């Protein structure tokens, strides 16, 4: 890892050096980048459509996932002409979503099916009906005194807006493990989305420490509202859950793909763009995360098309298993550590294809202040802001940066069956790639 002084020197000199051999100003080069994606680039949207239509449901270890790696390899090698490309094999979860059905059984005998979906890594009910009365939970604090023995726990905390995902995602990822020792029979989770709808959203459901969590499934936001209202009127209603989701005993094998353009001046200094290849089984995975994989590839294509020779090595990794265990990026980081590689930063791209709003960086206040001073005059005219990330994220690579988009509509699609090519705004998608390319150019 570079020392703070080294990085400040790099940042201070980077803008002058990036154009030292060119007859264009920084502003003119940025104009060229945006003009390329707005008016000249014909491959970004076409590549995204190909990935979504030909290789949907890219679960790690699946046939579509493996084939899309071959397709990305072809694009990088044959279309763009990248010479440095390699693959990394990695063990990934081998989970089968099976078939899931949930019914709400009113005390008057009425049976209503609730749109439902299996949750990743959860073992379901082994195809058996699990029927019980329901206890509703809205906040994590309610768990402290919750009595749920032999009951189905219904986690119904609703997202307030597109920025409250992390506030509520624990219900899906940890809810089942948190009530297992309390004697719950199963768990229902309100889809983690701030949009009303009848399409349920999936996601990972992790066991607690060495504890096999009880069966858990998600229901749509509309179904959650319907169940919550019914519980107020009918205290004796029950819910039946049947899910054949299960973990196969042997892990599957996935592949990371890594590609780079070597730096002309500092080849051992690496700027990394990372994006996950895997998607869920219920959609084309357009926003999450085909758009980001294509964006990383198109940054390399822009460097080639616009004859932008990076001073530092520009590397991308399209990795496996972000949705469950992050095993692909962990393996990439392990190999990098063995090679004694270090990165100027890792820019994670995983925020959909909405309008770009900026970049979040995990840096100390002093270095962040220097970044603001140097970068803001070039980012601000494009509607981009630089923010300092102060949360805790156990990310395998440091420093951790993220690309940010307007996520007002993102969770309408995230992990749901609507995450398809037709629901991608092509103009904001290309504008986002222009923003990423600009950021890389400024930091190079």
């Amino acid at each position: 890892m570079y020392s703070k002084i080294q990085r400040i020197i790099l940042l201070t000199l980077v803008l002058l050096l990036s154009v030292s051999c060119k007859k264009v100003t920084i502003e003119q080069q940025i104009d060229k980048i945006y003009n390329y994606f707005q008016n000249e680039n014909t491959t970004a949207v076409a590549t995204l459509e190909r990935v979504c239509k030909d290789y949907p449901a890219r679960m790690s270890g699946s046939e579509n996932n493996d084939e899309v790696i071959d397709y990305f390899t072809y694009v990088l090698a044959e279309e763009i002409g990248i010479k440095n490309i390699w693959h990394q094999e990695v063990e990934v979860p081998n989970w089968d979503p099976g078939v899931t059905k949930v019914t709400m059984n009113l005390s008057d005998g009425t049976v209503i099916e609730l749109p439902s979906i299996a949750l990743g890594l959860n073992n379901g009910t082994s195809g058996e009906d699990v029927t019980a009365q329901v206890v509703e939970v809205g906040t994590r604090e309610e768990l402290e005194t919750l009595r749920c023995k032999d009951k189905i726990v219904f986690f119904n905390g609703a997202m307030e807006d597109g920025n409250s995902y992390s506030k509520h995602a624990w219900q899906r990822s940890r809810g089942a493990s948190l009530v297992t020792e309390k004697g719950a029979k199963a768990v229902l989770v309100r889809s983690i989305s701030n949009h009303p709808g009848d399409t349920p959203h999936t996601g990972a459901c992790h066991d607690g420490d060495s504890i096999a969590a009880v069966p858990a499934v998600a229901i749509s936001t509309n179904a959650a509202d319907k169940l919550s209202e019914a519980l107020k009127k009918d205290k004796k209603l029950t819910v039946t859950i049947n899910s054949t989701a299960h973990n196969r005993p042997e892990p599957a094998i996935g592949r990371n793909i890594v590609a780079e353009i070597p730096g002309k001046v500092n080849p051992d200094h690496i700027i990394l763009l990372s994006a996950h290849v895997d998607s869920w089984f219920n959609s084309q995975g357009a926003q999450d995360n085909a758009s980001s994989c294509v964006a990383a590839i198109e940054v390399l294509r822009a460097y080639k098309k616009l004859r932008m020779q990076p001073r530092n090595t520009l590397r991308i990794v399209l990795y496996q298993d972000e949705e469950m265990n992050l095993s692909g990026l962990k393996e990439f980081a392990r190999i990098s550590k063995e090679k004694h590689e270090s990165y100027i930063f890792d820019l994670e791209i995983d925020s959909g294809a909405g309008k770009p709003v900026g970049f979040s960086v995990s840096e100390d206040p002093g270095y962040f202040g220097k970044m603001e001073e140097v970068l803001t005059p070039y980012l601000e005219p494009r509607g981009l802001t630089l923010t300092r990330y102060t949360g805790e994220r156990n990310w395998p690579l440091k420093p951790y940066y993220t690309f940010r988009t307007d996520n007002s509509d993102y969770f309408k699609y995230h992990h749901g069956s609507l995450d398809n090519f037709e629901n991608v705004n092509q103009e904001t998608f290309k504008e986002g790639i222009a923003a990423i390319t600009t950021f890389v150019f400024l930091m190079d």
Side-chain angles (χ1 to χ4, degrees):
M1 192 63 63
Y2 310 110
S3 71
K4 180 179 177 181
I5 294 176
Q6 285 177 310
R7 297 180 71 222
I8 288 177
I9 291 172
L10 279 172
L11 183 63
T12 303
L13 297 178
V14 69
L15 297 181
L16 291 175
L17 293 173
S18 66
V19 292
S20 61
C21 298
K22 296 179 172 59
K23 295 182 180 180
V24 296
T25 65
I26 295 171
E27 292 86 353
Q28 287 172 331
Q29 185 61 52
I30 294 172
D31 286 342
K32 284 186 175 184
I33 291 170
Y34 272 82
N35 180 67
Y36 168 70
F37 282 107
Q38 290 170 342
N39 302 312
E40 301 172 27
N41 181 286
T42 60
T43 55
V45 172
T47 303
L48 178 61
E49 183 175 21
R50 173 77 182 273
V51 172
C52 292
K53 298 294 180 65
D54 290 359
Y55 313 103
R58 298 174 301 278
M59 293 280 289
S60 289
S62 68
E63 182 178 349
N64 278 359
N65 184 296
D66 198 54
E67 289 182 354
V68 84
I69 294 293
D70 290 337
Y71 173 61
F72 285 148
T73 304
Y74 170 82
V75 171
L76 287 161
E78 303 300 326
E79 291 187 8
I80 303 177
I82 302 298
K83 299 185 184 304
N84 292 10
I85 304 172
W86 63 99
H87 297 153
Q88 298 169 333
E89 285 195 352
V90 56
E91 287 190 354
V92 296
N94 195 356
W95 177 75
D96 185 341
V99 178
T100 294
K101 183 178 181 180
V102 174
T103 59
M104 176 172 64
N105 316 306
L106 304 183
S107 58
D108 66 3
T110 303
V111 177
I112 302 170
E113 185 168 352
L114 303 178
S116 60
I117 195 166
L119 294 178
L121 298 177
N122 189 266
N123 277 312
T125 68
S126 301
E128 303 292 331
D129 285 348
V130 173
T131 302
Q133 289 187 310
V134 178
V135 56
E136 183 174 345
V137 174
T139 67
R140 189 156 185 167
E141 288 71 26
E142 294 176 36
L143 291 178
E144 295 180 10
T145 57
L146 182 69
R147 295 182 179 181
C148 60
K149 183 173 174 57
D150 296 325
K151 301 288 181 65
I152 290 175
V153 179
F154 169 37
F155 288 100
N156 194 33
M159 285 179 65
E160 296 82 8
D161 54 39
N163 296 314
S164 59
Y165 177 77
S166 59
K167 175 181 175 182
H168 296 286
W170 68 270
Q171 298 173 104
R172 185 203 68 225
S173 62
R174 306 296 298 178
S177 63
L178 291 173
V179 299
T180 296
E181 290 189 328
K182 290 178 175 288
K185 292 184 73 173
V187 161
L188 286 178
V189 181
R190 179 191 186 92
S191 286
I192 310 301
S193 171
N194 60 317
H195 290 268
D198 291 312
T199 57
H201 297 237
T202 188
C205 175
H206 294 277
D207 290 343
D209 295 336
S210 71
I211 299 173
V214 294
V217 302
I219 57 176
S220 69
T221 54
N222 284 353
D225 290 339
K226 185 181 294 185
L227 175 58
S228 184
E229 286 301 311
L231 283 168
K232 295 173 185 175
K233 301 174 183 177
D234 188 348
K235 302 299 182 182
K236 295 183 179 180
L237 75 78
T238 63
V239 162
T240 299
I241 300 173
N242 189 306
S243 172
T244 59
H246 63 282
N247 291 285
R248 298 186 180 97
E250 295 298 325
I253 301 296
R255 290 183 292 164
N256 298 335
I257 177 172
V258 189
E260 68 181 22
I261 301 175
K264 186 177 181 180
V265 179
N266 303 310
D268 292 334
H269 297 179
I270 304 170
I271 290 174
L272 181 67
L273 306 182
S274 59
H276 68 87
V277 175
D278 57 310
S279 70
W280 287 102
F281 59 92
N282 57 331
S283 74
Q284 296 176 356
Q287 306 260 2
D288 185 22
N289 195 37
S291 59
S292 299
C293 291
V294 174
I297 289 170
E298 290 296 325
V299 170
L300 297 187
R301 194 194 302 265
Y303 262 75
K304 288 286 190 178
K305 286 283 187 180
L306 300 177
R307 298 181 180 179
M308 298 165 60
Q309 177 64 52
R311 292 175 47 80
N312 304 290
T313 292
L314 177 53
R315 177 181 294 179
I316 69 171
V317 56
L318 311 181
Y319 64 90
Q320 294 294 328
D321 188 32
E322 186 273 345
E323 297 294 2
M324 295 192 190
N325 287 330
L326 208 64
S327 55
L329 193 62
K330 290 175 181 176
E331 177 66 4
F332 174 83
R334 183 193 67 78
I335 293 171
S336 287
K337 186 176 181 180
E338 282 187 352
K339 294 180 177 179
H340 304 289
E341 294 176 332
S342 59
Y343 299 92
I344 298 174
F345 60 87
D346 168 25
L347 178 65
E348 173 70 358
I349 316 174
D350 188 14
S351 58
K355 186 171 181 60
V357 298
F359 302 87
S360 176
V361 302
S362 180
E363 295 286 3
D364 65 67
Y367 186 74
F368 175 74
K370 191 67 179 177
M371 289 185 71
E372 274 194 310
E373 178 186 338
V374 173
L375 300 182
T376 298
Y378 303 103
L379 297 178
E380 200 170 61
R382 298 292 176 173
L384 304 171
T385 60
L386 196 67
T387 59
R388 181 169 171 259
Y389 179 77
T390 57
E392 294 184 7
R393 184 82 189 261
N394 187 23
W395 198 248
L397 297 165
K398 308 291 184 193
Y400 169 66
Y401 293 7
T402 57
F403 170 59
R404 298 187 302 112
T405 62
D406 180 347
N407 59 7
S408 301
D409 292 327
Y410 178 63
F411 291 100
K412 180 178 182 179
Y413 311 112
H414 178 259
H415 293 187
S417 61
L418 298 178
D419 187 11
N420 299 320
F421 176 77
E422 287 74 13
N423 290 322
V424 171
N425 183 314
Q426 297 180 14
E427 294 308 310
T428 59
F429 169 54
K430 292 191 293 182
E431 184 183 350
I433 310 175
I436 295 167
T437 307
T438 295
F439 184 78
V440 169
F441 162 70
L442 291 172
M443 292 294 293
D444 179 36

